[in-house]
Amino acid sequence: MNKLAELLLGNKEKIASEIVELRMKDITTDNDFFTEESLKERALDMITLIGDNLNCDVHSDIEEVVKWGSDKGKQAVVVEAPLSEALRNTPYYRKVLWTYIAELSKDEDFSKDEIIQIANRLDPILDQAVYGYSKSYVEYNIEIAMRYQDALLELSVPVVPLFEGIAVLPIIGDIDTNRAQHITDKTIERCEELKLERIIIDLSGVNIVDTMVAQHLFQLVKTLRLLGVKSAITGIRSAVAITAVNLGIELNDLNIFTTLQQALEALGYKRVNEETIH
């Protein structure tokens, strides 16, 4: 096994070139992760890992190999390399490596037991690399998706100050239970930060809400009232109003206006006829 490891390391440049040559004939993407240079670099790394780890216990965790695969998986996510294309690399590694070993066995006269021993060491190394790569690729994709989701949730609660003590919360798009709870939490937080006395919740960008979401929104109004913040609701659509009625919510207790302009006028802010912006 030591002899094989030495030969692999000593001929890794040639072996890597053969792997890349075969792989380049079957590339179906123009992603930078699959350029000839990039493939060659990873092939050299992989052969080095194989040579260094051939003497590891087959049942032990080859942490270095898994970490290498994990690092490459994250890199692939960053450059948006397709996972399906990356996983197609492995057969080319196996084909070239086993072709090399088969030719080498003629000179070294490997026995059947030695060939089996090599297989029991070589294949797990490749499998561990693929495992690390795939696991990291999926997990890092999920992590990035969660970051985007959190960022979108933050942007979905834009409490915009209008005048001292007064702000508007324009809500746009579909609202699920998770987003409704986030809106509630962030709105209360922003009202305290801005020391608001009044907030206008504009629902003109919301088409449909279910009963649970409606409860969240109208509960928000009650909570703000307890905190000393008066609320007004504008742009409420018929579907939302019907949902509120079905829930038994007394709309008469709420300050409801058809438009944001009407709400502002009710607060004493009207359009100045004289043009002041040049």
Side-chain angles (χ1 to χ4, degrees):
M1 197 65 66
N2 287 332
K3 178 67 173 179
L4 176 60
E6 291 176 5
L7 290 170
L8 285 175
L9 293 173
N11 291 277
K12 65 180 181 180
E13 186 74 31
K14 177 187 175 186
I15 297 171
S17 295
E18 291 180 7
I19 292 172
V20 173
E21 183 180 355
L22 284 177
R23 186 67 179 95
M24 289 300 296
K25 295 177 181 178
D26 196 27
I27 293 291
T28 60
T29 178
D30 58 357
N31 189 280
D32 290 342
F33 197 69
F34 300 100
T35 62
E36 185 173 352
E37 181 181 357
S38 180
L39 288 169
K40 180 70 173 291
E41 179 183 349
R42 291 197 298 277
L44 287 171
D45 286 347
M46 188 71 253
I47 296 167
T48 300
L49 285 171
I50 292 171
D52 290 342
N53 289 278
L54 271 178
N55 291 317
C56 292
D57 181 355
V58 68
H59 299 296
S60 67
D61 290 328
I62 310 174
E63 295 181 3
E64 184 182 4
V65 177
V66 175
K67 183 180 183 304
W68 179 85
S70 178
D71 291 342
K72 300 308 175 187
K74 287 185 178 180
Q75 291 176 17
V77 173
V78 171
V79 299
E80 299 181 350
L83 176 61
S84 58
E85 188 71 31
L87 294 180
R88 293 176 63 201
N89 291 340
T90 308
Y92 294 94
Y93 280 86
R94 294 190 196 278
K95 181 177 181 179
V96 174
L97 284 168
W98 276 110
T99 298
Y100 176 78
I101 292 171
E103 293 175 353
L104 187 63
S105 67
K106 297 176 183 177
D107 298 327
E108 299 296 327
D109 194 25
F110 292 149
S111 65
K112 291 182 180 179
D113 289 341
E114 287 174 323
I115 294 295
I116 293 173
Q117 186 181 19
I118 291 171
N120 287 336
R121 301 290 180 89
L122 176 60
D123 288 338
I125 293 173
L126 290 171
D127 293 340
Q128 289 279 3
V130 172
Y131 164 76
Y133 181 97
S134 303
K135 184 172 182 291
S136 174
Y137 188 98
V138 173
E139 290 178 348
Y140 198 51
N141 255 318
I142 293 174
E143 181 182 336
I144 290 177
M146 292 298 294
R147 289 179 192 171
Y148 282 132
Q149 182 179 16
D150 291 342
L152 288 172
L153 281 174
E154 290 297 321
L155 292 173
S156 71
V157 193
V159 177
V160 183
L162 298 176
F163 309 99
E164 184 177 356
I166 300 175
V168 62
L169 169 61
I171 301 177
I172 300 173
D174 297 334
I175 305 176
D176 57 16
T177 304
N178 182 46
R179 187 184 175 200
Q181 183 61 56
H182 187 77
I183 288 173
T184 298
D185 296 340
K186 293 301 293 185
T187 300
I188 293 173
E189 180 182 317
R190 288 288 286 159
C191 285
E192 293 177 345
E193 289 177 358
L194 298 171
K195 295 181 172 54
L196 296 181
E197 298 174 1
R198 294 180 174 85
I199 186 169
I200 302 171
I201 302 173
D202 182 43
L203 299 178
S204 58
V206 179
N207 293 319
I208 300 173
V209 296
D210 59 22
T211 55
M212 184 64 70
V213 172
Q215 285 179 325
H216 272 287
L217 290 175
F218 292 109
Q219 186 63 43
L220 170 60
V221 173
K222 293 181 180 180
T223 303
L224 291 174
R225 185 182 299 165
L226 291 174
L227 295 174
V229 181
K230 297 179 181 179
S231 303
I233 297 177
T234 64
I236 189 168
R237 293 174 181 261
S238 58
V240 179
I242 292 172
T243 300
V245 171
N246 291 336
L247 286 172
I249 297 173
E250 291 293 336
L251 297 180
N252 293 331
D253 293 339
L254 304 174
N255 296 311
I256 298 177
F257 300 90
T258 304
T259 66
L260 178 60
Q261 179 181 342
Q262 290 179 352
L264 290 173
E265 289 177 351
L267 291 172
Y269 298 95
K270 296 184 179 181
R271 177 178 177 180
V272 178
N273 292 327
E274 182 181 355
E275 184 65 60
T276 58
I277 300 177
H278 302 284

Short mmCIF file of all heavy atoms in Angstrom, two decimals, residues 1 13 24 36 49 53 59 99 120 123 137 171 193-194 196 218 228 234 244-245 249-250 257 267 269 273:
data_model
loop_
_atom_site.label_atom_id
_atom_site.label_comp_id
_atom_site.label_asym_id
_atom_site.label_seq_id
_atom_site.Cartn_x
_atom_site.Cartn_y
_atom_site.Cartn_z
N MET A 1 0.82 -1.20 0.00
CA MET A 1 0.00 0.00 0.00
C MET A 1 0.86 1.27 0.00
O MET A 1 0.53 2.25 -0.65
CB MET A 1 -0.94 0.00 1.22
CG MET A 1 -2.08 0.97 1.09
SD MET A 1 -3.23 0.58 -0.27
CE MET A 1 -3.92 -0.97 0.30
N GLU A 13 0.49 14.47 -11.37
CA GLU A 13 0.33 15.44 -12.45
C GLU A 13 -0.25 14.77 -13.69
O GLU A 13 -1.19 15.27 -14.32
CB GLU A 13 1.67 16.09 -12.78
CG GLU A 13 1.60 17.21 -13.80
CD GLU A 13 0.99 18.48 -13.25
OE1 GLU A 13 1.15 18.74 -12.04
OE2 GLU A 13 0.36 19.21 -14.03
N MET A 24 -13.40 17.17 -19.43
CA MET A 24 -13.67 18.33 -20.28
C MET A 24 -14.49 17.96 -21.50
O MET A 24 -15.18 18.80 -22.08
CB MET A 24 -12.37 19.00 -20.71
CG MET A 24 -11.62 19.73 -19.60
SD MET A 24 -12.60 21.07 -18.84
CE MET A 24 -12.79 22.19 -20.24
N GLU A 36 -10.99 24.17 -17.06
CA GLU A 36 -9.90 23.19 -17.06
C GLU A 36 -8.94 23.43 -15.90
O GLU A 36 -8.49 22.48 -15.24
CB GLU A 36 -9.14 23.28 -18.40
CG GLU A 36 -8.05 22.22 -18.55
CD GLU A 36 -7.44 22.22 -19.93
OE1 GLU A 36 -7.96 22.94 -20.82
OE2 GLU A 36 -6.44 21.51 -20.15
N LEU A 49 -4.73 13.77 -1.54
CA LEU A 49 -5.46 13.25 -0.39
C LEU A 49 -5.52 11.73 -0.40
O LEU A 49 -5.38 11.08 0.63
CB LEU A 49 -6.89 13.82 -0.38
CG LEU A 49 -7.05 15.28 0.06
CD1 LEU A 49 -8.46 15.77 -0.20
CD2 LEU A 49 -6.71 15.43 1.54
N ASN A 53 -3.83 9.30 2.38
CA ASN A 53 -4.77 8.61 3.27
C ASN A 53 -4.98 7.14 2.93
O ASN A 53 -5.83 6.49 3.54
CB ASN A 53 -6.13 9.32 3.24
CG ASN A 53 -6.11 10.66 3.95
OD1 ASN A 53 -6.21 10.74 5.16
ND2 ASN A 53 -5.96 11.73 3.18
N HIS A 59 -12.20 1.86 8.35
CA HIS A 59 -13.38 2.12 9.17
C HIS A 59 -13.28 3.45 9.92
O HIS A 59 -14.21 3.84 10.60
CB HIS A 59 -13.59 0.98 10.17
CG HIS A 59 -13.83 -0.34 9.52
ND1 HIS A 59 -14.93 -0.60 8.73
CD2 HIS A 59 -13.08 -1.48 9.49
CE1 HIS A 59 -14.88 -1.85 8.28
NE2 HIS A 59 -13.77 -2.40 8.72
N THR A 99 -7.69 2.50 -13.91
CA THR A 99 -6.91 2.18 -15.11
C THR A 99 -5.43 2.22 -14.79
O THR A 99 -4.64 1.34 -15.20
CB THR A 99 -7.22 3.16 -16.25
OG1 THR A 99 -8.62 3.05 -16.59
CG2 THR A 99 -6.39 2.86 -17.48
N ASN A 120 -10.78 -1.43 -1.00
CA ASN A 120 -11.35 -1.13 0.31
C ASN A 120 -10.79 0.15 0.93
O ASN A 120 -11.37 0.70 1.87
CB ASN A 120 -11.11 -2.30 1.28
CG ASN A 120 -11.99 -3.49 0.95
OD1 ASN A 120 -13.05 -3.34 0.34
ND2 ASN A 120 -11.56 -4.68 1.36
N ASP A 123 -11.86 3.42 -2.59
CA ASP A 123 -13.25 3.82 -2.80
C ASP A 123 -13.85 4.60 -1.62
O ASP A 123 -14.56 5.59 -1.83
CB ASP A 123 -14.11 2.59 -3.11
CG ASP A 123 -13.82 2.04 -4.51
OD1 ASP A 123 -13.30 2.82 -5.35
OD2 ASP A 123 -14.10 0.85 -4.78
N TYR A 137 -22.72 21.27 0.42
CA TYR A 137 -23.44 21.99 -0.63
C TYR A 137 -24.89 22.23 -0.23
O TYR A 137 -25.41 23.35 -0.34
CB TYR A 137 -23.38 21.18 -1.92
CG TYR A 137 -23.91 21.89 -3.14
CD1 TYR A 137 -23.06 22.53 -4.04
CD2 TYR A 137 -25.29 21.90 -3.41
CE1 TYR A 137 -23.55 23.17 -5.17
CE2 TYR A 137 -25.79 22.54 -4.54
CZ TYR A 137 -24.91 23.17 -5.42
OH TYR A 137 -25.42 23.81 -6.51
N ILE A 171 -47.78 47.35 4.16
CA ILE A 171 -47.59 45.90 4.06
C ILE A 171 -47.96 45.47 2.65
O ILE A 171 -49.06 45.76 2.17
CB ILE A 171 -48.45 45.15 5.09
CG1 ILE A 171 -48.09 45.62 6.51
CG2 ILE A 171 -48.24 43.65 4.97
CD1 ILE A 171 -48.94 44.99 7.59
N GLU A 193 -38.73 52.20 19.45
CA GLU A 193 -37.50 52.89 19.05
C GLU A 193 -37.77 54.32 18.60
O GLU A 193 -37.03 55.24 18.95
CB GLU A 193 -36.82 52.12 17.90
CG GLU A 193 -36.19 50.80 18.30
CD GLU A 193 -35.61 50.08 17.10
OE1 GLU A 193 -35.75 50.61 15.96
OE2 GLU A 193 -35.03 49.00 17.27
N LEU A 194 -38.84 54.49 17.81
CA LEU A 194 -39.16 55.81 17.25
C LEU A 194 -40.04 56.65 18.17
O LEU A 194 -40.36 57.79 17.83
CB LEU A 194 -39.86 55.64 15.90
CG LEU A 194 -39.04 54.94 14.80
CD1 LEU A 194 -39.91 54.64 13.59
CD2 LEU A 194 -37.85 55.80 14.40
N LEU A 196 -43.21 56.37 18.85
CA LEU A 196 -44.38 56.76 18.08
C LEU A 196 -45.62 56.92 18.95
O LEU A 196 -45.80 56.24 19.96
CB LEU A 196 -44.67 55.70 17.01
CG LEU A 196 -43.60 55.50 15.93
CD1 LEU A 196 -44.06 54.44 14.93
CD2 LEU A 196 -43.29 56.80 15.21
N PHE A 218 -54.97 42.25 13.72
CA PHE A 218 -55.87 43.00 14.59
C PHE A 218 -55.43 42.92 16.06
O PHE A 218 -55.71 43.82 16.84
CB PHE A 218 -57.31 42.54 14.39
CG PHE A 218 -57.85 42.89 13.03
CD1 PHE A 218 -58.07 41.92 12.07
CD2 PHE A 218 -58.11 44.22 12.70
CE1 PHE A 218 -58.54 42.24 10.81
CE2 PHE A 218 -58.58 44.55 11.44
CZ PHE A 218 -58.81 43.57 10.49
N GLY A 228 -49.88 52.55 24.20
CA GLY A 228 -50.07 53.99 24.03
C GLY A 228 -49.92 54.47 22.61
O GLY A 228 -49.82 55.68 22.36
N THR A 234 -55.55 51.52 6.77
CA THR A 234 -55.97 52.03 5.47
C THR A 234 -55.86 50.95 4.40
O THR A 234 -55.12 49.98 4.57
CB THR A 234 -55.11 53.24 5.04
OG1 THR A 234 -53.76 52.79 4.85
CG2 THR A 234 -55.15 54.33 6.08
N ALA A 244 -62.28 39.51 8.79
CA ALA A 244 -62.36 40.12 10.12
C ALA A 244 -63.76 39.97 10.71
O ALA A 244 -63.93 39.65 11.90
CB ALA A 244 -61.99 41.61 10.03
N VAL A 245 -64.79 40.19 9.90
CA VAL A 245 -66.17 40.05 10.36
C VAL A 245 -66.45 38.61 10.77
O VAL A 245 -67.09 38.35 11.81
CB VAL A 245 -67.15 40.49 9.26
CG1 VAL A 245 -68.59 40.14 9.65
CG2 VAL A 245 -67.02 41.98 9.00
N ILE A 249 -64.47 40.26 14.82
CA ILE A 249 -63.72 41.46 15.19
C ILE A 249 -64.59 42.68 14.95
O ILE A 249 -65.16 42.86 13.86
CB ILE A 249 -62.42 41.58 14.37
CG1 ILE A 249 -61.51 40.39 14.70
CG2 ILE A 249 -61.70 42.89 14.65
CD1 ILE A 249 -60.28 40.33 13.82
N GLU A 250 -64.72 43.52 15.96
CA GLU A 250 -65.52 44.73 15.85
C GLU A 250 -64.74 45.80 15.10
O GLU A 250 -63.85 46.45 15.66
CB GLU A 250 -65.92 45.23 17.24
CG GLU A 250 -66.91 44.33 17.97
CD GLU A 250 -68.28 44.34 17.30
OE1 GLU A 250 -68.59 45.32 16.60
OE2 GLU A 250 -69.01 43.35 17.47
N PHE A 257 -59.66 53.80 7.32
CA PHE A 257 -59.79 54.79 6.25
C PHE A 257 -59.57 54.10 4.92
O PHE A 257 -58.85 53.10 4.83
CB PHE A 257 -58.78 55.92 6.43
CG PHE A 257 -58.93 56.66 7.73
CD1 PHE A 257 -58.23 56.25 8.87
CD2 PHE A 257 -59.78 57.75 7.83
CE1 PHE A 257 -58.38 56.92 10.07
CE2 PHE A 257 -59.94 58.43 9.04
CZ PHE A 257 -59.23 58.02 10.16
N LEU A 267 -55.62 63.16 10.66
CA LEU A 267 -54.64 63.52 11.68
C LEU A 267 -54.26 65.00 11.61
O LEU A 267 -53.46 65.48 12.41
CB LEU A 267 -53.38 62.67 11.53
CG LEU A 267 -53.53 61.18 11.86
CD1 LEU A 267 -52.27 60.42 11.48
CD2 LEU A 267 -53.85 60.99 13.34
N TYR A 269 -53.08 66.55 8.70
CA TYR A 269 -52.05 66.83 7.69
C TYR A 269 -52.71 66.85 6.32
O TYR A 269 -53.17 65.82 5.82
CB TYR A 269 -50.95 65.78 7.74
CG TYR A 269 -50.22 65.73 9.06
CD1 TYR A 269 -50.61 64.84 10.05
CD2 TYR A 269 -49.17 66.61 9.32
CE1 TYR A 269 -49.96 64.81 11.28
CE2 TYR A 269 -48.51 66.58 10.54
CZ TYR A 269 -48.91 65.68 11.52
OH TYR A 269 -48.27 65.67 12.73
N ASN A 273 -51.43 73.69 -1.02
CA ASN A 273 -51.68 74.00 -2.43
C ASN A 273 -50.52 74.67 -3.11
O ASN A 273 -50.22 74.42 -4.27
CB ASN A 273 -52.92 74.89 -2.54
CG ASN A 273 -54.19 74.15 -2.15
OD1 ASN A 273 -54.30 72.97 -2.38
ND2 ASN A 273 -55.15 74.86 -1.55
#
